[in-house]
C-alpha cells in the first residue's frame, strides 16, 4: 500500500515537472515572439523612415517622390490592423520607383545619394529577415499550443494566439542586384 502511494506520488511529481517545463518553454517562445516583433517593427520603421527621407531629398523625380512619400507615410502611420497592407504597399512603391537600375544610379550620383541608397538597400534587405524570424517564432509557438496537453491544462494561460506577419517584402531588384 505504501509503495503504491509512493509510486503514484512520484508519477504525479514527474507529470507536474513535465507540465511546468512545457509551460516554461511556451513562455520562452512567447517572449521570443515579442522580441522578434519588436525587431520587425524597428526594421519596418527604419525602412519607412529611409524611404520618406529619400522621397523628400529632391533626388527623385516629383512623381516618384510623391508615390514613395505617401506610401512611407502611410506605413508609418498605419494602425495595427492595417499595418501589413500599408507595409506591402510601401514594398510595391519601392519596386515601382526603383524598377530601373538607372534610377538607383541617379540617386547614387546625387550629393549624399551613395549613403542614402546604401541605407535604403540595407533596410530593404533586413525586413525579410526580421519577418522570417518573427514568423518562425510564431510557427513554433503555434505548434506547441496545438498539443493536447497544452490545451487541456491551459498552459498558455491568457496569452493571445500568436499571429504571423504576412506582407509583400520583396525588395526592388535594382537595389539588391547593385548591393550583391
Amino acid at each position: 500500500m505504501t509503495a503504491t502511494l509512493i509510486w503514484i506520488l512520484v508519477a504525479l511529481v514527474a507529470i507536474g515537472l513535465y507540465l511546468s517545463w512545457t509551460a516554461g518553454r511556451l513562455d520562452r517562445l512567447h517572449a521570443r515572439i515579442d522580441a522578434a516583433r519588436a525587431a520587425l517593427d524597428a526594421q519596418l520603421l527604419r525602412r519607412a523612415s529611409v524611404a520618406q527621407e529619400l522621397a523628400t531629398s529632391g533626388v527623385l523625380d516629383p512623381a516618384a517622390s510623391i508615390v514613395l512619400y505617401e506610401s512611407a507615410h502611410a506605413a508609418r502611420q498605419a494602425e495595427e490592423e492595417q499595418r501589413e497592407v500599408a507595409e506591402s504597399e510601401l514594398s510595391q512603391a519601392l519596386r515601382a520607383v526603383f524598377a530601373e537600375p538607372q534610377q538607383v544610379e541617379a540617386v547614387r550620383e546625387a550629393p549624399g545619394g551613395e549613403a542614402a541608397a546604401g541605407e535604403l538597400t540595407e533596410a530593404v534587405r533586413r525586413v525579410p529577415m526580421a519577418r522570417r524570424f518573427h514568423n518562425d517564432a510564431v510557427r513554433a509557438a503555434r505548434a506547441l499550443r496545438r498539443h493536447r496537453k497544452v490545451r487541456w491544462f491551459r498552459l498558455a494561460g491568457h496569452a493571445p494566439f500568436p499571429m504571423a506577419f504576412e506582407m509583400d517584402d520583396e525588395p526592388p531588384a535594382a537595389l539588391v542586384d547593385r548591393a550583391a
Side-chain angles (χ1 to χ4, degrees), residues 24-170:
R25 181 172 169 229
L26 189 58
D27 187 50
R28 288 188 301 276
L29 281 171
H30 282 281
R32 190 172 128 202
I33 290 170
D34 291 342
R37 181 59 188 240
L40 176 61
D41 286 342
Q43 292 304 321
L44 291 171
L45 181 63
R46 180 175 180 227
R47 181 181 76 154
S49 297
V50 171
Q52 206 168 19
E53 202 174 292
L54 190 60
T56 58
S57 68
V59 174
L60 301 172
D61 63 87
S65 292
I66 290 171
V67 167
L68 196 56
Y69 181 83
E70 286 180 354
S71 296
H73 181 71
R76 289 181 70 178
Q77 301 298 322
E79 296 293 324
E80 193 59 36
E81 301 84 36
Q82 298 297 320
R83 185 102 189 262
E84 293 172 352
V85 173
E87 294 294 346
S88 293
E89 288 173 356
L90 178 56
S91 294
Q92 293 166 1
L94 285 166
R95 281 197 308 271
V97 170
F98 295 106
E100 300 295 324
Q102 295 84 1
Q103 184 71 19
V104 177
E105 290 304 319
V107 169
R108 289 185 186 279
E109 290 169 0
E114 188 69 37
E119 195 173 349
L120 182 62
T121 300
E122 285 303 310
V124 299
R125 291 176 75 185
R126 288 181 180 172
V127 166
M129 288 187 292
R131 189 176 74 87
R132 194 172 313 119
F133 289 143
H134 175 266
N135 287 350
D136 286 347
V138 166
R139 196 173 303 112
R142 281 180 166 185
L144 185 58
R145 285 183 71 155
R146 282 191 195 106
H147 288 192
R148 221 174 280 144
K149 65 182 176 256
V150 173
R151 290 192 320 263
W152 286 354
F153 292 102
R154 299 180 186 199
L155 299 180
H158 297 288
F161 196 73
M163 300 301 289
F165 194 85
E166 297 300 331
M167 64 171 270
D168 174 8
D169 60 3
E170 184 181 337

